[in-house]
Each structure stands twice: as C-alpha cells, then as structure tokens.
C-alpha cells in the first residue's frame, strides 16, 4: 500500500471519529493500568462490569493492597483468568507503592517490569494516559493492518514497527484506537462487514464481502 492511500485512510478515520477513546472505563492512569491488565483475553465490557464495582471501593495501589487478594478476586471473578490476574494486580500494586510512591510511572521499562504488564499494556498506558505516540497492537490491529495491507507483519511486534514507520506523526496518538474500533465493529474476524466500511475502496483485501 502506498503512502497516499494510507494518509487517505487515516484522514477518513479521523473525520469519522476525531477524538477516539478506549472503551475501558477509567479516571486515572492507575485505573487504566489495572483495566488493561485485566483485559487480556477478556472483553472490555466484562472488565468494565468488574471495575465499575471495584473502583468505587478501591482505586489506588494501597487501597487494593488493603482490600487483599481474596476480596479482589470476588470483584474480578467474572473475568477470564481472574486468579492469575488478581495475583499480578496485587504484586503490581505492591511494586507501585514500594518503587514509585503509589504512582504509575511514565516510563516504558518501569511499566514493563510490573507483573502482568507486557509491551502492549505499556503502550496503551503511555498512549492513553500520557499521550505518547505509541501504538499498541492487539489481535484486532494485527488483523486489520494485515488484511487491508496497511501495515503487514508476521507478528504483533512487526506490525507495530511497520505502523510506527508508515503512520505520519499527526495521526500516531489516535491510530491504535481507530484500528481497534475498526477491527472490533467493522473489519471483524470471521466475516468483515465490507459493505459498511468507510475505507472499502482503499482497502487491498482481495476477498471482500457485501
């Protein structure tokens, strides 16, 4: 795909949704961090249902530590892999208190050192909480980038590197939200909704649907 076509795609996404936001509910960098940690292999809807009850009770590292592991599990038990996520959340909260004064660090290495936090989660926090031009690649973005031929790669890291290379600076902060939403609602996994797609004429996918 050429540069001109990519810019037109990004421009259409921006015109359609000028201020895209994550669908996870949060009101602080810490709430976002925990929500993203909980969202691995789970839907944003299921995470929001849990955190909407958890955060009014405990929404700081110390408050969650005071809550304790068993009570935390009660709040998040409807989320997939909740046992492991609860343990990682407690460990993460302890590290935030011990090493970062209870604050979420605006630093990639420090974020990735937290239990249960990988590159994708760090990218989401840096982008959404702190406004960094990072691009977090999940399964939706990987699929959309490869299917449309916008930014092809054999794995999520390759797709991320390609996106960082080909997306102009003015679009970088918002592009991962546009691509996630596009993959979640239009360019879906089983049968893309090409007939309802605002970039259908620019997309280079060969097996388009009605």
């Amino acid at each position: 795909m050429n540069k001109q076509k990519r810019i037109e795609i990004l421009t259409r996404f921006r015109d359609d949704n000028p201020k895209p936001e994550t669908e996870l509910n949060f009101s602080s960098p810490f709430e976002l961090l925990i929500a993203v940690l909980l969202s691995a292999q789970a839907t944003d809807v299921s995470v929001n249902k849990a955190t909407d009850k958890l955060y009014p009770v405990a929404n700081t590292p110390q408050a969650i530590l005071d809550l304790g592991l068993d009570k935390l599990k009660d709040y998040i038990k409807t989320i997939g892999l909740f046992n492991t996520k609860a343990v990682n959340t407690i460990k993460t909260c302890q590290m935030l208190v011990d090493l970062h004064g209870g604050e979420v660090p605006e630093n990639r290495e420090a974020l990735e050192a937290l239990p249960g936090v990988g590159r994708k989660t760090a990218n989401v926090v840096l982008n959404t909480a702190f406004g960094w031009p990072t691009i977090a690649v999940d399964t939706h973005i990987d699929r959309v980038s490869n299917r449309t031929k916008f930014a092809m790669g054999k794995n999520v890291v390759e797709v991320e590197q390609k996106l960082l290379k080909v997306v102009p600076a003015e679009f970088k902060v918002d592009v991962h939200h546009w691509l996630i939403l596009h993959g979640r609602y239009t360019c879906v996994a089983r049968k893309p909704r090409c007939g309802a797609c605002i970039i259908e004429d620019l997309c280079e996918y060969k097996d388009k649907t009605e």
Side-chain angles (χ1 to χ4, degrees):
M1 181 174 287
N2 63 42
K3 180 180 178 181
Q4 185 178 357
K5 196 179 279 190
R6 286 194 183 98
I7 289 174
E8 177 60 26
I9 285 173
L10 294 168
T11 300
R12 287 190 194 178
F13 281 146
R14 183 172 62 189
D15 290 346
D16 183 61
N17 186 2
K19 294 185 181 295
E21 297 178 347
T22 176
E23 293 188 314
L24 291 168
N25 295 339
F26 75 99
S27 60
S28 69
F30 176 71
E31 289 187 2
L32 177 65
L33 171 66
I34 298 306
V36 180
L37 191 156
L38 295 175
S39 72
Q41 294 177 295
T43 65
D44 287 0
V45 172
S46 69
V47 173
N48 287 338
K49 282 182 180 177
T51 58
D52 285 351
K53 294 177 181 176
L54 171 65
Y55 289 158
V57 177
N59 70 339
T60 66
Q62 190 59 58
I64 286 182
L65 289 173
D66 293 343
L67 196 65
L69 182 63
D70 289 339
K71 286 186 179 176
L72 176 61
K73 285 183 180 179
D74 284 340
Y75 280 101
I76 68 169
K77 62 189 177 185
T78 53
I79 301 172
L81 308 174
F82 76 93
N83 281 310
T84 301
K85 290 174 181 178
V87 171
N88 283 337
T89 297
I90 293 290
K91 288 179 178 176
T92 283
C93 288
Q94 192 66 61
M95 285 180 69
L96 290 174
V97 169
D98 292 346
L99 302 177
H100 305 289
E103 299 295 324
V104 175
E106 190 177 343
N107 176 285
R108 178 184 295 284
E109 287 184 9
L111 285 169
E112 290 187 17
L114 299 170
V117 177
R119 183 176 183 84
K120 187 190 81 171
T121 299
N123 276 336
V124 172
V125 172
L126 290 171
N127 174 277
T128 305
F130 299 116
W132 285 30
T134 56
I135 300 174
V137 177
D138 68 350
T139 53
H140 293 301
I141 294 179
D142 183 52
R143 178 177 67 255
V144 171
S145 297
N146 278 291
R147 185 185 271 165
T148 61
K149 308 287 194 290
F150 187 96
M152 300 179 72
K154 294 175 183 174
N155 53 55
V156 292
V157 175
E158 281 190 15
V159 170
E160 179 188 336
Q161 296 303 326
K162 187 67 181 287
L163 285 168
L164 287 169
K165 183 178 178 182
V166 302
V167 174
E170 65 178 297
F171 299 106
K172 273 203 172 94
V173 170
D174 293 326
V175 68
H176 104 258
H177 292 301
W178 290 325
L179 293 175
I180 281 177
L181 293 169
H182 193 63
R184 190 171 283 165
Y185 297 111
T186 304
C187 197
V188 293
R190 291 187 180 178
K191 187 181 180 184
R193 298 174 57 235
C194 300
C197 177
I198 62 171
I199 62 163
E200 182 186 10
D201 57 315
L202 301 167
C203 167
E204 296 181 5
Y205 181 51
K206 290 179 180 175
D207 301 316
K208 289 193 172 111
T209 63
E210 292 298 323

